[in-house]
Amino acid sequence: MPKVVDPARRRQDVVAAVWRVVRRDGLDRASVRNVAREAGLSAGSLRHYFATQPELLAFTLRTIIERIETRIAAAPPADGDPRDRAARVLGELLPMDAERAAENHVWLAFTARALVDPDLRALCEEAHAALRSGCRALVASLAPGADTELETDRLHALVDGLAVHAALHPRTTTPARMRAAVSAHLDDLYRRP
């Protein structure tokens, strides 16, 4: 009897293999052949799920975006406290644990590649717009009278900067320091007239 394979599960296993290859060897080494080897598949088997490397990479990037969106949607409600809600949402965006640190590492590798890959650039632009929109909504809930665009820029830059620093300097940009930076920024924003 032939082995039954769950295609959705197999795609997630392949994405996990892409993450391992990217984190260990870099995005340039995430070829169909190398990823197939990492996933314990033949290149031909992997091509049943992803016909090309660009398709594989785009699916991997889309998976990161979906994981973040799912975590934010599942975040417990903040009982009407916009400051607490903002802290929870921002905490889901930052590499606060090993899983999110791995996600962040892979995301940053893809972001660099998006500078020269139009397909990845489109996905990165979509994620950038979603993050900016989310930051704008948080600013509007925390400081309705503030210069929304300026405060959106500041919050977005804080999140992006902390993510980059955490990837490059994890010993100094720890989860505790990221939480403290976010907290101080939100306190400042929330107290504005």
Side-chain angles (χ1 to χ4, degrees):
M1 179 171 210
K3 183 178 173 183
V4 177
V5 176
D6 176 0
R9 180 72 217 149
R10 179 58 55 94
R11 284 176 170 261
Q12 291 309 311
D13 291 343
V14 171
V15 166
V18 172
W19 283 34
R20 290 190 302 272
V21 170
V22 169
R23 294 193 73 216
R24 183 183 61 236
D25 305 323
L27 187 58
D28 289 341
R29 301 285 297 158
S31 65
V32 168
R33 179 178 296 135
N34 288 340
V35 170
R37 186 178 313 118
E38 183 71 27
L41 301 170
S42 69
S45 292
L46 189 139
R47 288 188 193 280
H48 287 291
Y49 302 97
F50 303 101
T52 64
Q53 183 192 31
E55 184 182 330
L56 170 63
L57 297 180
F59 184 83
T60 300
L61 190 56
R62 168 73 56 210
T63 299
I64 294 172
I65 294 167
E66 289 171 0
R67 287 169 56 108
I68 294 168
E69 290 171 344
T70 299
R71 279 198 315 268
I72 290 171
D79 299 325
D81 180 356
R83 180 22 199 95
D84 186 42
R85 173 73 180 149
R88 290 178 190 207
V89 167
L90 296 173
E92 294 301 330
L93 295 169
L94 293 168
M96 297 293 192
D97 57 29
E99 181 180 340
R100 286 179 282 176
E103 182 180 271
N104 186 51
H105 182 113
V106 173
W107 175 262
L108 291 173
F110 275 86
T111 300
R113 177 77 167 262
L115 294 171
V116 296
D117 183 322
D119 293 330
L120 293 180
R121 182 178 297 145
L123 281 172
C124 282
E125 288 295 328
E126 178 185 324
H128 174 84
L131 177 56
R132 182 166 178 76
S133 176
C135 287
R136 183 181 292 110
L138 293 175
V139 165
S141 72
L142 290 169
D147 178 339
T148 304
E149 289 309 304
L150 174 63
E151 294 304 331
T152 297
D153 288 341
R154 289 180 65 218
L155 184 57
H156 194 170
L158 175 66
V159 171
D160 279 350
L162 288 173
V164 170
H165 287 235
L168 296 175
H169 310 287
R171 288 190 188 137
T172 56
T173 310
T174 63
R177 289 185 72 175
M178 286 187 284
R179 272 191 290 280
V182 166
S183 183
H185 184 81
L186 293 178
D187 286 347
D188 180 52
L189 189 58
Y190 198 47
R191 284 193 297 259
R192 287 183 180 218

